[in-house]
Amino acid sequence: RTMDRIAKTAEDAVDYRSVVSTRRREKHGNMTEAIGQAAAYTAINLKVKAVLAPTESGHTAKMIAKYRPGCPIIAITASDECSRKLSLVWGIYPIFGERVNSIDAILQESVEESVKHQYVTHGDVVIITAGVPVGEAGTTNLMKIHVIGDMLAKGQGIGKSVAFGQAVVAHNAQEALAHNMKGKILVTYSSDRDMMPAIEECAGLITEEGGLTSHAAVVGLSLGIPVIVGVEKATETIIDGKDITMDAESGVIYNGHARVL
């Protein structure tokens, strides 16, 4: 217990920003080192919950640990041997996961495993590193800032803004106009001009009908409100009266009030 207390007190005294600034002046010349440096610096600036580092050999996770990001480094690896070795490195929490073969699968696997092991939870901001081609050691060349949200649905976003509010599910203009739409998000199969009074008042619009030339997309650009189109079964998936967050830039709809960068 005494050793544990001493170690924790010593860690609390570390100036992580100074560590990154000092070590970034060291000579380095490869992509993985640059990503490790950038991940640590961004983690400190944004005060992220964790850095998720899918890794084949463990090199990426160790490189990030070198720069002391001041938060847990979650290393997801398909190698049991690599997982055991990483447990000895500063700040790394290894997870033995499944081998995947696409970037989307890597991101999804990293988030799901981290949530499953309770290192992070919904609403946390994390950094994820990855590399192309997938599955090859030493190819880390991508860094993503990600908000772990309880995702309800996804479509094609119009605009770059974020809206939070109570969902109003309406199947026609009459249902939409029956509600006070001020600060609320309208969810419908497709919009039309009869819905315009409700759309002009709402904080955001979600439709099942897709297409950049759809009525919802054109109206969203015209009014400057966030719109997400082409959301499959939106009127069934999203519950009327439920608080939701919509991120028009990524086209993602979250349950509740999610923090989106």
Side-chain angles (χ1 to χ4, degrees), residues 3-143:
M3 291 175 68
D4 177 66
R5 188 168 65 251
I6 291 170
K8 287 181 178 176
T9 303
E11 285 294 329
D12 289 340
V14 174
D15 182 353
Y16 294 107
R17 189 179 296 275
S18 176
V19 172
V20 176
S21 298
T22 300
R23 291 187 173 172
R24 69 186 296 188
R25 289 194 289 269
E26 297 174 359
K27 289 184 179 180
H28 55 82
N30 62 66
M31 186 72 73
T32 303
E33 180 113 28
I35 290 291
Q37 181 188 111
Y41 197 73
T42 305
I44 293 169
N45 284 338
L46 295 182
K47 296 181 174 61
V48 303
K49 184 72 173 181
V51 177
L52 312 187
T55 181
E56 191 71 20
S57 65
H59 184 60
T60 299
K62 287 188 283 187
M63 192 60 68
I64 297 170
K66 168 186 172 181
Y67 287 98
R68 299 294 193 267
C71 66
I73 302 161
I74 316 301
I76 301 91
T77 177
S79 167
D80 187 43
E81 181 184 356
C82 177
S83 176
R84 292 197 303 271
K85 287 181 177 179
L86 288 175
S87 64
L88 300 174
V89 184
W90 180 96
I92 294 181
Y93 297 82
I95 296 175
F96 179 56
E98 295 181 8
R99 190 178 300 276
V100 292
N101 50 20
S102 73
I103 282 293
D104 288 341
I106 283 177
L107 300 180
Q108 185 175 347
E109 170 85 356
S110 301
V111 171
E112 288 179 354
E113 288 295 331
S114 300
V115 172
K116 177 181 171 182
H117 286 76
Q118 299 182 346
Y119 291 128
V120 294
T121 187
H122 296 297
D124 288 341
V125 180
V126 298
I127 292 172
I128 308 175
T129 62
V132 178
V134 174
E136 291 187 17
T139 59
T140 301
N141 53 16
L142 179 151
M143 184 182 84

Side-chain angles (χ1 to χ4, degrees), residues 152-153 165-172 175-176 179 181 184-191 195 199 202 204-208 228 231-242 244 246 253:
L152 287 175
Q166 192 180 77
V168 173
V169 179
H171 298 90
N172 52 53
E175 290 183 12
H179 293 82
M181 293 303 303
K184 296 180 180 178
I185 297 175
L186 179 60
V187 183
T188 184
Y189 177 77
S190 64
S191 64
M195 286 187 181
I199 295 172
C202 72
L205 175 62
I206 298 169
T207 67
E208 292 185 17
I228 300 178
V231 182
E232 189 176 351
K233 296 182 179 179
T235 54
E236 298 175 27
T237 306
I238 301 171
I239 300 171
D240 185 58
K242 190 81 172 177
I244 60 173
M246 58 180 294
I253 302 157

